[in-house]
């Protein structure tokens, strides 16, 4: 599921206030979570929700100093006379950091509501002391204004500088230097309030999801590591219930329960797709310890007599291999990310639905986690017939009839502040977001146009969602329509 947020201007004039920079040895993360005035879920009060989003450069790769763009977890960055260094002489937090020579790194995207930017830095290896500066643009990178004074780089260990900023519209940042001595830059943190307007995670449609025509890759199973959610109880993937009463019995070939460790699903051998997929999302799942792996493969865990959808089964269909549990929701290990690329986690999804509308929604939910929440998510699809990119007419099946194209794609997300006692913390005022989109390529990119109630989805599917909640709580949260804010 892909993304690009729609950014909203909060003013026509830009006012920039630089409060100088403050040096310290650690980052002050500040308050995380909602300061809303109602409910217990950090929801829709009058005070905007704080966010803290860090670019740690761990997923990027750039080995040469020539100008090029690099896709990172926050978006695309331009590297001019800069590389992503992983040598022993690179001073870094983790395995990688920017190594900047003469030139700059700058964002190819904007951020909203930022009030502070925090940067870790050091001089590279045995290079002499140097200087660098931070600047900000309020016109999409056409012009930049320096923030504070230039930083004199003398430390051989990472130190932290924070720059206080007030802007009434979207902005982007650039770090630049002069001279040929090198510096390391790492862990750039954006802090602010409201909708940051940027995404967290690598898009789920990097690479040719619709045009791959190579031979099918080798089928595989799942390796479940210690980073997987617990199998039962709080934080487990199916904590709020089994919507369709799926069972791990081969006689249930249209409602077969698969526990893939990093998510749980009901699979239909007749449709060749999941009915629904359920998972828990918190900050431990999105650590970016691994990049997006793109290792699509058939799943060996289904009955050998069933048809196995292959990695190239969608080729030429006009539909993306649309993730249910997104790749960017599982970056804590290679095992976790690989699990999301099994074809039992895919549906034929119209490219615009996948790459814009749905990924915008996924990025929004990851942003809720960045703001101090945890989210229980159930995604599914139903019906027959969608419109992809290959034609303007409805397509009911692909892969010689082995894979059904759904007519609708839906998601339900329970959003609560990170904590314990999750079941008892869900009340009538808890925020529960439900979205139901048509599987067509002409879809609007704004998922907020498709907000419904949980009961609407239950009516369409026949499922009993959030069944582990007390009935009175179900009745309250399932019948109200979220605002999308």
């Amino acid at each position: 599921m892909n993304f690009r947020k729609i950014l909203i201007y909060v003013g026509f004039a830009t006012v920039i206030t630089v409060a100088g920079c403050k040096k310290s040895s650690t980052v002050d993360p500040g308050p995380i979570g909602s300061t809303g005035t109602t409910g217990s879920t950090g929801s829709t009060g009058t005070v905007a929700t704080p966010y803290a989003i860090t670019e740690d450069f761990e997923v990027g790769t750039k080995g040469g100093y020539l100008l090029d763009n690099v896709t990172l977890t926050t978006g695309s960055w331009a590297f001019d006379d800069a590389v992503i260094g992983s040598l022993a002489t690179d001073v870094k937090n983790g395995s990688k950091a920017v190594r900047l020579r003469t030139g700059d790194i700058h964002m190819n995207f904007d951020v909203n509501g930022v009030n502070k930017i925090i940067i870790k830095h050091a001089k590279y290896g045995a290079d002499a002391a140097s200087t660098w500066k931070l600047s900000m643009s309020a016109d999409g990178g056409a012009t930049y204004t320096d923030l504070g004074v230039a930083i004199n780089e003398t430390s051989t260990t990472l130190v932290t500088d924070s720059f206080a900023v007030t802007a009434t519209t979207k902005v982007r940042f650039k770090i630049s230097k002069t001279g040929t001595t090198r510096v390391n830059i790492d862990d750039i943190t954006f802090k602010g309030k409201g909708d940051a307007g940027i995404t967290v995670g690598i898009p789920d449609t990097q690479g040719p999801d619709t045009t791959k025509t190579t031979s099918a890759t080798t089928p595989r199973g799942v390796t479940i590591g210690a980073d997987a959610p617990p199998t039962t109880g709080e934080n487990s993937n199916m904590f709020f219930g089994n919507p369709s009463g799926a069972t791990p019995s081969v006689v249930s070939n249209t409602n077969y329960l698969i526990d893939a460790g990093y998510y749980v699903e009901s699979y239909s051998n007749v449709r060749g797709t999941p009915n629904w997929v359920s998972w828990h999302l918190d900050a431990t799942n999105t650590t970016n310890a691994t990049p997006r792996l793109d290792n699509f493969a058939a799943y060996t865990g289904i009955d050998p007599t069933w048809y196995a959808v292959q990695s190239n089964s969608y080729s030429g269909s006009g539909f993306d291999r649309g993730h249910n549990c997104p790749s960017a929701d599982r970056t804590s290990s290679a095992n976790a990310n690989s699990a999301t690329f099994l074809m039992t986690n895919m549906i034929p999804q119209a490219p615009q639905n996948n790459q814009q509308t749905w990924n915008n929604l996924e990025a929004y939910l990851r942003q809720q986690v960045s703001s101090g929440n945890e989210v229980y998510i159930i995604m599914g699809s139903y019906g027959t017939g969608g419109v992809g990119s290959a034609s303007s007419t409805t397509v009911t099946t692909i892969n010689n009839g082995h894979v059904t194209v759904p007519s609708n794609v839906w998601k339900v997300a329970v959003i609560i502040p990170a904590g314990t006692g999750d079941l008892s913390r869900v009340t009538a005022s808890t925020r529960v977001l439900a979205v139901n989109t048509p599987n067509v390529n002409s879809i609007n990119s704004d998922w907020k146009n498709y907000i419904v109630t949980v009961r609407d989805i239950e009516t369409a599917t026949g499922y009993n969602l959030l069944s582990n909640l007390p009935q009175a709580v179900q009745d309250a949260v399932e019948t109200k329509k979220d605002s999308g804010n």
Side-chain angles (χ1 to χ4, degrees):
M1 318 297 162
N2 212 337
F3 63 80
R4 186 49 57 192
K5 282 240 181 220
I6 294 177
L7 302 176
I8 301 174
Y9 282 88
V10 294
F12 293 102
T14 300
V15 179
I16 302 172
T17 303
V18 181
C21 57
K22 177 182 179 181
K23 173 112 31 178
S24 64
S25 58
T26 59
V27 176
D28 172 20
I32 301 296
S34 172
T35 54
T37 58
T38 61
S40 60
T41 64
S43 55
T44 55
T46 58
V47 180
T49 303
Y51 65 79
I53 300 172
T54 298
E55 179 53 70
D56 59 11
F57 303 99
E58 293 297 314
V59 304
T61 301
K62 187 175 185 291
Y65 282 100
L66 293 178
L67 173 64
D68 200 3
N69 293 327
V70 182
T71 299
L72 302 169
T73 57
T74 53
S76 173
W77 291 68
F79 279 58
D80 185 5
D81 205 31
V83 302
I84 294 181
S86 58
L87 301 178
T89 45
D90 285 298
V91 186
K92 51 196 179 294
N93 177 30
S95 61
K96 299 178 183 179
V98 175
R99 190 191 313 149
L100 178 59
R101 195 165 60 179
T102 301
D104 68 76
I105 61 169
H106 61 266
M107 299 155 58
N108 293 324
F109 58 94
D110 297 295
V111 57
N112 282 328
V114 64
N115 53 42
K116 182 183 290 187
I117 180 171
I118 303 167
I119 304 171
K120 293 181 180 179
H121 56 92
K123 70 185 189 74
Y124 169 76
D127 281 22
S130 185
T131 59
W132 59 269
K133 63 181 180 179
L134 176 69
S135 55
M136 183 171 72
S137 173
D139 54 12
T143 61
Y144 283 87
T145 301
D146 290 346
L147 296 185
V149 298
I151 301 297
N152 187 28
E153 197 62 80
T154 60
S155 177
T156 57
T157 60
L158 286 175
V159 294
T160 301
D161 272 282
S162 61
F163 301 79
V165 178
T166 299
T168 60
T169 188
K170 58 184 181 179
V171 294
R172 62 182 60 184
F173 296 93
K174 176 172 68 174
I175 297 173
S176 55
K177 67 178 297 294
T178 58
T180 58
T181 56
R182 294 159 292 185
V183 298
N184 283 124
I185 303 292
D186 205 357
D187 291 352
I188 298 176
T189 299
F190 306 99
K191 294 186 66 177
K193 292 183 178 181
D195 183 355
I198 65 175
T199 58
V200 180
I202 300 299
D204 273 346
T205 50
Q206 295 279 89
D209 273 4
T210 59
T211 59
K212 187 179 287 293
T213 57
T214 56
S215 300
T217 56
T218 303
R220 67 169 187 274
V222 179
T223 301
I224 302 174
D227 58 327
T231 56
T232 60
E234 191 166 295
N235 297 342
S236 61
N237 290 314
M238 210 166 57
F239 184 55
F240 284 119
N242 182 335
S244 62
T247 62
S249 170
V250 293
V251 298
S252 300
N253 69 328
T254 62
N255 190 24
Y256 181 70
L257 186 68
I258 297 176
D259 186 349
Y262 296 95
Y263 54 85
V264 176
E265 69 173 88
S266 164
Y267 183 74
S268 172
N269 178 52
V270 173
R271 294 176 66 91
T273 63
N275 300 307
W276 52 262
V277 178
S278 184
W279 69 100
H280 176 258
L281 180 65
D282 64 23
T284 67
N285 308 129
T286 56
T287 60
N288 298 319
T290 185
R292 175 189 163 98
L293 297 176
D294 274 313
N295 53 347
F296 294 91
Y299 178 48
T300 58
I302 60 174
D303 188 90
T305 65
W306 293 359
Y307 180 82
V309 181
Q310 302 295 319
S311 61
N312 63 347
S313 291
Y314 290 21
S315 293
S317 68
F319 293 91
D320 281 3
R321 295 170 293 189
H323 286 67
N324 280 254
C325 179
S327 162
D329 280 12
R330 292 291 184 256
T331 62
S332 56
S333 69
N335 290 335
N337 198 252
S338 290
T340 71
F341 285 96
L342 294 171
M343 293 304 295
T344 44
N345 185 43
M346 305 295 161
I347 58 171
Q349 193 167 8
Q352 296 305 307
N353 184 307
N354 180 30
Q355 298 171 25
Q356 295 186 24
T357 315
W358 214 247
N359 208 25
N360 289 340
L361 173 57
E362 292 171 353
Y364 176 80
L365 292 177
R366 285 191 292 273
Q367 189 179 56
Q368 301 312 300
V369 172
S370 298
S371 298
N373 297 303
E374 57 183 300
V375 189
Y376 288 90
I377 305 170
I378 310 165
M379 173 180 167
S381 57
Y382 67 87
T384 301
V387 181
S389 60
S391 71
S392 59
T393 58
T394 300
V395 177
T396 57
T397 64
I398 62 173
N399 192 212
N400 296 318
H402 289 295
V403 179
T404 299
V405 178
S407 63
N408 287 74
V409 187
W410 58 269
K411 178 170 286 185
V412 170
V414 180
I415 305 170
I416 56 177
T420 58
D422 293 353
L423 194 63
S424 63
R425 293 192 297 132
V426 177
T427 68
S429 61
T430 293
R431 188 176 180 201
V432 178
L433 176 62
V435 175
N436 189 355
T437 67
N439 188 24
V440 295
N441 219 33
S442 58
I443 191 171
N444 191 293
S445 62
D446 188 356
W447 55 267
K448 295 179 182 179
N449 291 326
Y450 305 99
I451 295 175
V452 296
T453 68
V454 176
R455 288 287 161 84
D456 290 331
I457 295 174
E458 288 183 326
T459 299
T461 61
Y463 298 150
N464 183 9
L465 297 164
L466 309 181
S467 58
N468 285 349
L469 290 174
Q471 190 60 53
V473 177
Q474 285 189 61
D475 291 340
V477 299
E478 292 185 0
T479 55
K480 64 180 179 180
K481 184 182 293 187
D482 188 80
S483 67
N485 298 315

